[in-house]
Amino acid sequence: MDFIKLIVIGVILGVANVIPGVSGGTLAVVFNIYDRLISVITLNVKKIFSEWKFILPLVVGMGLGIILFSKAITFLFEHYPVQTNWFFIGIILGSIPMIIKRLLVASKNSAKGSEKKVVPVSAIVCGVVALGIMAIMTYANVAESGAPIQTELTPVLAVKLFIGLACATIAMIIPGISGSFLMLVVGIYSTIIAAISDFNIPLLIPAVIGGVIGLLGGAKLVRFLMAKVPAQTYGAIMGLVLGSILVIFPGFGGFATLATSLLAAAVGFVVSFFAGREKIEG
């Protein structure tokens, strides 16, 4: 049962990571696998093999999500963009109780011997700052503006792809920030999508190298923060997750659209609320 559940979660993560504005990191938090996922993104081969029952179905699901369901999600965004975004908003809102619980547990553990689960002011400040960053990113309206699709590898493009994918993969594992959106910002999203579609190996090589380095570096940074300042890290995650709603908020539309959007949000909420429910010690 867990194997099937992880495949389904992997499918959702795979689809999310190719949609600008939707954060794969947020959905990993939503489904309560974020900490475990970050722990296995490492060069420690023994650690990776010991978690194969977790990694394998997740990777299979992500592959299926990217290959099989991207077109379906594209169709939904083209024909039902408001309802689709409200579904993702519901998924995000359904994760809030779990994040609050983790924040309280981290705050208690940081309070050395105290039984009170009081959120420190510094964690609240981190949350507000993170939310502010997401608001700035949203309303600055930065996006790829007519950037042409490039098919021939040049030294300048190789460096751009390497750096762009390194930054994008770091963003992908930080809740609230969309790696695809960041690729739009630096103007390589269309080129990367075309390279994947056409299997353009010369362009994919620097992109993959940058992506792997960014993934390992980003995961190491998150693990460090989780170990040293867990309450502040979860405070920031809360701000980023809430801020991601600003990024994808589609408005309400007419009555029929509003009704179906609320239904989609309710379905998303139920899915994430129950999928992320696990006992959190503390």
Side-chain angles (χ1 to χ4, degrees), residues 80-99:
Y80 306 100
V82 178
Q83 294 91 335
T84 304
N85 275 305
W86 271 104
F87 173 75
F88 280 108
I89 288 174
I91 282 181
I92 292 168
L93 291 175
S95 71
I96 299 303
M98 181 269 295
I99 300 174

Side-chain angles (χ1 to χ4, degrees), residues 138-280:
T138 301
Y139 297 109
N141 196 29
V142 287
E144 190 175 49
S145 179
I149 295 176
Q150 300 183 60
T151 58
E152 299 293 330
L153 185 65
T154 65
V156 173
L157 180 59
V159 172
K160 189 175 182 180
L161 291 173
F162 175 84
I163 295 176
L165 261 294
C167 294
T169 49
I170 291 174
M172 284 177 186
I173 61 176
I174 297 176
I177 302 178
S178 165
S180 297
F181 179 76
L182 192 58
M183 285 192 284
L184 280 173
V185 172
V186 299
I188 62 171
Y189 181 78
S190 297
T191 296
I192 289 295
I193 294 300
I196 294 172
S197 177
D198 299 335
F199 210 57
N200 190 329
I201 300 298
L203 290 185
L204 291 176
I205 289 175
V208 169
I209 294 173
V212 170
I213 290 175
L215 194 64
L216 292 171
K220 187 171 184 178
L221 173 62
V222 171
R223 285 196 298 271
F224 174 81
L225 293 174
M226 289 286 192
K228 299 297 182 181
V229 283
Q232 291 76 10
T233 302
Y234 274 111
I237 286 175
M238 174 67 84
L240 290 170
V241 169
L242 289 174
S244 67
I245 295 175
L246 299 175
V247 176
I248 65 175
F249 181 70
F252 300 101
F255 178 77
T257 300
L258 175 60
T260 53
S261 296
L262 292 177
L263 178 61
V267 171
F269 182 93
V270 170
V271 168
S272 70
F273 180 80
F274 287 101
R277 285 185 71 185
E278 288 183 11
K279 182 175 176 60
I280 299 172

